[in-house]
Amino acid sequence: MTFSRRHMLTSTLALTFLSGCGAVSALNQATTPLDAYDLQAPRNLPQAGRTLARSLSIEPPTTSGGLDTDRILIKPNAVQSLYLPGVRWSEDTPQMMQTLLLRAFEDTGALSYVGRRPLGATGDFALISEITDFQAELGADGTSVATRLRLTARMVRETDARVLARRSFTATAPARSSDTLDIVESFNTASDELITDLVRWGLEAVGIRLPAAQ
């Protein structure tokens, strides 16, 4: 599927028309299956030289209403947001990012436990984050597309709620074309970079430095 300005205008007009349809027509449209896409956790993160006997809970990132969905966001300009028609993420964006972070931290073998909730009443560390950008953006030429991700993270010590470190992470990646699969692959490239940087930073905040990438 090629996603051009003309296609986006058509989609916008279709949405406008749908809003004026009856409830039955809207329900039929809502039940149309959407193709689902998933992102992969980084596969080139090195193994930690040691395992710290500590636990890390990764909370679902917070985000704005426009990103708190399983739809794939694309911005044709700075003030307009649309969703790619006919497709979605396999999970809502915050849950998908939580899953990717969990897998990445766990794959390093640096911590004895990584989960969505702390072990017992309280854990040792918690990763709290906010997604501010998670979208594709149409270029000024009207045809090129690039992905932009931005996430702010805090590593918190559970025992006293002290913020050990705070940092914002940004990653961008061009899409090879405006085809849906190429756009999704650009999301994967950008998320790989962002999560790799975040995992290294997070582990250093709790006292573990990963080996340099090979």
Side-chain angles (χ1 to χ4, degrees):
M1 178 194 69
T2 299
F3 202 89
S4 63
R5 283 186 183 274
R6 184 174 182 178
H7 195 161
M8 284 189 292
L9 179 59
T10 302
S11 299
T12 303
L13 291 175
L15 288 173
T16 302
F17 177 76
L18 180 62
S19 66
C21 293
V24 174
S25 298
L27 180 61
N28 289 337
Q29 183 72 19
T31 57
T32 302
L34 303 179
D35 293 335
Y37 290 89
D38 202 358
L39 299 180
Q40 296 177 323
R43 288 178 285 183
N44 296 321
L45 273 168
Q47 289 284 299
R50 64 189 179 96
T51 298
L52 187 67
R54 294 289 185 273
S55 66
L56 171 65
S57 58
I58 299 176
E59 299 190 9
T62 59
T63 191
S64 65
L67 291 173
D68 194 9
T69 176
D70 63 356
R71 300 303 302 275
I72 302 175
L73 187 69
I74 184 164
K75 295 178 70 69
N77 53 61
V79 297
Q80 188 178 19
S81 297
L82 301 172
Y83 296 117
L84 287 178
V87 296
R88 64 178 179 85
W89 296 121
S90 60
E91 300 179 277
D92 288 355
T93 297
Q95 283 70 38
M96 182 172 63
M97 181 58 71
Q98 181 192 33
T99 299
L100 294 172
L101 290 168
L102 189 153
R103 290 175 182 167
F105 273 100
E106 193 170 50
D107 287 348
T108 66
L111 298 162
S112 58
Y113 171 84
V114 181
R116 300 178 192 272
R117 289 170 293 277
L119 282 172
T122 60
D124 296 303
F125 305 108
L127 180 69
I128 301 171
S129 59
E130 179 183 11
I131 299 170
T132 50
D133 288 307
F134 202 93
Q135 73 270 346
E137 297 177 350
L138 196 65
D141 58 6
T143 58
S144 62
V145 180
T147 291
R148 181 181 304 277
L149 309 183
R150 186 174 186 273
L151 181 147
T152 299
R154 293 173 176 82
M155 185 63 73
V156 178
R157 188 168 59 195
E158 293 273 35
T159 53
D160 57 2
R162 178 188 172 191
V163 177
L164 301 177
R166 179 190 181 279
R167 181 177 160 187
S168 291
F169 298 85
T170 302
T172 60
R176 288 180 296 181
S177 75
S178 55
D179 184 82
T180 296
L181 183 57
D182 287 335
I183 292 174
V184 171
E185 288 178 349
S186 74
F187 271 98
N188 207 59
T189 299
S191 69
D192 190 292
E193 177 186 337
L194 185 148
I195 291 172
T196 296
D197 290 345
L198 190 153
V199 169
R200 286 185 173 277
W201 161 85
L203 292 178
E204 287 183 13
V206 301
I208 297 179
R209 183 181 294 271
L210 290 180
Q214 299 297 318

